[in-house]
Amino acid sequence: MSKRKKSAGEVKKRLPVAQEKPWGGRFDAALDKKAESFLASLPFDQRLAQEDIQGSMAHCRMLIKTGVLPPQDGELILRGLAEISSELAAGSFPFDLSFEDIHMNVERRLVEKIGPVGGKLHTGRSRNDQVALDMHLYVKKEIKQIDGLLTALQAVLLELAKKYLGIIIPGYTHLQRAQPVLFSHHLLAYFWMLQRDRERFLDAYARADLMPLGAGALSGSGFPLDQEEIARELHFAALYENSMDAVSDRDFVIEFLGCAAMLAMHLSRLSEELILWSSQEFSFIELDDAFTTGSSMMPQKKNPDIPELVRGKTGRIYGNLLALLTVFKGLPLAYNKDMQEDKEPLFDTSDTIKSILELFPGLLWSIKLNKEKLKQAVRDDFSTVTELADFLAGKGIPFREAHGIVGRLVRFALDAGKLPADLTRSELAAFHPLLDSDLTLELLKPQRAVESHQSRGGTAPQAVKEQLSRARRAMRRNDVRAKKLFHSGTL
Ligand code: ARG
């Protein structure tokens, strides 16, 4: 180990600052090329460019205000950042992988443009709180966009529910015909799932609405920073209470992925129904040509590729959630390089969920219902016989007994090859004298069965109309909440 000691003069003779790594001072040798590209996040974190500039500008303004930076230096930096922002927007920014990530690329460019004074921007800041800030800004922006898309999808579901108010479809349990329901009722079930999804994203927004800058690398800063000023400028609702938490926290990213996973699960369930309903076996609906594809070999095919791919992409969205939970489970405080892995799952999930949400309204709106087939479907099965059991129970017969009586009636009909509509009053009467009434035949009609389910949230047309107006009100409540949250900055 005979390493010759260098003189101070030799150590000082190094590359000009702009070509060197920011940490170059402590190092003798250059980074291995493969290591450099392995470590780089630039290929994906360049998507944070605008958030990064926005954060840097707010930081710089605060440094001027608090007297940490001389105004003329600060102004120079701000102008440089504005130019860089335009370069980024125009696609002319010269990215350089040897500067690892977007943060160092912007800083390097700033120094290129305005000289060494650009190096003052990083005063009182670390990439650790810088990247945390960028991620907060990004997640908040994405939630706002998703909120708008979710609302549009909910609005389409409400419109469709209104449009199809009279249509009855078979309702299923175990994928076996169970009881008839209004198609609108079925659609509205998805409305309420999306309602909860939207609420979840809004909850997540509130927790993402914390400003981490000032945390420095982990322990805060010795400079007289005004963190509240930055939060105000960037419209954050509050500051972190603990600098170590501020730079280590990615709960808000994981929570976003969790919200997206739940939303994707709902959309995947709806997709599954569209796939089933549009199959020849069901033939309840036809998907529009604009949202289906054919087969390269079988000329008759019309494939529900979009709902299938939504179902498939849901797997990826779950995977991203699990990936990030796993990345974080063993991380000691504070920043660890592992955390750089937070970006691709976030970007991928957000892009995927937005692309799905953008497609769904058009897809749903263009669906054609096969009304004849639906009428036949609810006529040709036994899904109304629970009404008879309820009728007998209403007359004082214990429900268990009533169930048995009607069960035997169904057995008889099946053996005789009859459907409920074929049964006569006297055939019914043979199973119980109370069934000897015109009303009982009436009860077997799907329309009647649906109309009788008037409980709150039930499928009776009146109940569904009330549900619709509750849905509209619930949506407005979320609109108000979203507006408040998105324009917060209520420090
Ligand atoms: N590219 C890094 C990331 O995304 C930025 C923070 C790096 N900080 C550090 N101390 N190496 O996580």
Side-chain angles (χ1 to χ4, degrees), residues 41 45 100-101 103 127-128 131 335 337 339-340 342-343:
S41 51
D45 74 8
E100 197 177 295
D101 58 24
H103 325 294
R127 271 188 300 153
N128 298 349
V131 71
Y335 179 83
K337 185 72 170 176
M339 288 167 67
Q340 184 167 286
D342 61 356
K343 294 177 192 60

Side-chain angles (χ1 to χ4, degrees), residues 168-171 178-182 185 378-379 381-391 420 439-455 458-464:
I168 302 174
I169 64 166
Q179 292 179 327
V181 292
L182 287 188
H185 192 53
V378 290
R379 217 190 309 120
D381 67 22
F382 287 86
S383 50
T384 53
V385 298
T386 310
E387 301 309 304
L388 285 189
D390 284 350
F391 168 78
L439 179 61
T440 51
L441 288 179
E442 232 0 68
L443 287 178
L444 287 171
K445 295 186 177 151
Q447 183 71 33
R448 174 71 190 233
V450 164
E451 275 164 12
S452 69
H453 289 213
Q454 288 164 2
S455 58
T459 203
Q462 189 49 35
V464 171

Side-chain angles (χ1 to χ4, degrees), residues 57 63 80 97 189 218 246 273 284 288 291 346 426 428 446 486:
M57 284 181 155
L63 292 178
L97 198 70
L218 75 163
E273 307 223 76
F284 289 174
D288 198 80
F291 294 98
L346 169 64
S426 60
L428 292 189
F486 297 162

Side-chain angles (χ1 to χ4, degrees), residues 228-243:
E228 299 206 343
E229 173 62 25
I230 299 182
R232 253 191 305 274
E233 175 170 346
L234 296 176
H235 306 291
F236 276 97
L239 302 175
Y240 273 91
E241 295 299 340
N242 180 310
S243 63

Side-chain angles (χ1 to χ4, degrees), residues 12 20 38-39 41 72 85 100 110 152 168 173 176 241 258 277 321 370 372 382 395-396 398 462 476:
K12 265 171 72 187
E20 218 183 65
F38 182 71
L39 291 170
S41 51
Q72 63 276 22
S85 173
E100 197 177 295
L110 187 63
I168 302 174
T173 64
Q176 304 287 326
E241 295 299 340
W277 290 346
L321 170 62
N370 189 346
E372 269 318 301
F382 287 86
K395 296 275 179 214
Q462 189 49 35
R476 282 197 294 274

Side-chain angles (χ1 to χ4, degrees), residues 152-165 184 187-188 191 365 468 472 475:
L153 179 52
Q154 281 189 298
V156 167
L157 284 169
L158 289 186
E159 272 309 299
L160 288 172
K162 198 172 111 194
K163 177 173 165 193
Y164 290 125
L165 209 48
S184 305
L187 289 178
L188 285 173
F191 169 89
W365 194 250
L468 253 169
R472 287 197 193 95
M475 227 174 126

